[in-house]
Amino acid sequence: MLDPEGDTHLYRQISEIIRSRIVQELSPGDPVASEAQIQQEFGVARTTARRAIRVLRDEGLIHTVQGEGTFVGALNQAPRTSRKVPLYQHIAGEVSEQIKAGEFRPRRPIPGEAAMVQHYDVARETVRRALALLREQGWIYTVPQRGSYVSPEERWPTD
């Protein structure tokens, strides 16, 4: 339980809780809670979650692989298997399949960044990379201050 009134910063309290979980429950290579999961579990801001992760990474207890997640142990000692497809590409693939299936219609909005972060339980940067890939491929376009929309069908990529 966090003590917001105490003399220890929240990010330090969270890093202690995660450290305890690592020691008691996890093995090298096991995934550690994401920033989004930490935010949700502890009701803190993203910067607080990020600082908690940074403390553990600086201590060498965990490592982060961009687009894949955070794992117990140092990068060279973790017996994890790499993802075949980076997470942002997986998300872009799911969204493009939803567009093809008619779940998102041309010239209509797709879910926003915040909704996708919550749905996929990933960092905002991962969602942004997925959206950039979808734009690059022609599935969506973005209107400043309005959001991202499904491109007209004639602009969709042909497989």
Side-chain angles (χ1 to χ4, degrees):
M1 171 136 271
L2 296 182
D3 179 11
E5 304 295 320
D7 62 350
T8 304
H9 291 285
L10 290 177
Y11 75 93
R12 290 265 181 208
Q13 293 178 48
I14 293 168
S15 67
E16 284 299 320
I17 292 168
I18 296 171
R19 179 182 294 105
S20 173
R21 290 176 185 169
I22 290 170
V23 170
Q24 295 174 7
E25 305 166 13
L26 301 174
S27 301
D30 285 349
V32 178
S34 68
E35 288 177 10
Q37 290 169 326
I38 292 170
Q39 282 181 266
Q40 187 173 17
E41 179 179 350
F42 296 103
V44 295
R46 181 173 181 211
T47 54
T48 303
R50 183 172 283 164
R51 288 179 82 182
I53 290 292
R54 187 180 312 130
V55 167
L56 298 170
R57 190 172 38 246
D58 290 348
E59 293 172 1
L61 288 174
I62 62 173
H63 69 279
T64 300
V65 177
Q66 186 174 358
E68 293 190 31
T70 302
F71 304 90
V72 175
L75 180 58
N76 59 357
Q77 76 176 139
R80 68 176 186 82
T81 55
S82 292
R83 279 185 200 273
K84 300 237 184 295
V85 176
L87 194 50
Y88 78 94
Q89 288 179 1
H90 172 76
I91 293 168
E94 275 195 19
V95 173
S96 66
E97 288 301 317
Q98 291 172 308
I99 291 170
K100 285 189 241 180
E103 294 176 43
F104 301 128
R105 296 185 333 212
R107 299 190 182 277
R108 296 289 172 240
I110 63 169
E113 279 184 11
M116 291 178 78
V117 163
Q118 188 171 13
H119 176 75
Y120 290 104
D121 194 23
V122 296
R124 187 171 298 272
E125 183 58 29
T126 302
V127 168
R128 287 182 177 162
R129 289 181 75 184
L131 293 174
L133 180 58
L134 288 164
R135 269 192 301 277
E136 181 182 306
Q137 293 173 337
W139 290 110
I140 65 170
Y141 62 96
T142 300
V143 177
Q145 312 300 321
R146 303 261 315 156
S148 294
Y149 295 79
V150 176
S151 295
E153 201 166 337
E154 59 269 12
R155 296 183 63 202
W156 295 357
T158 53
D159 295 334

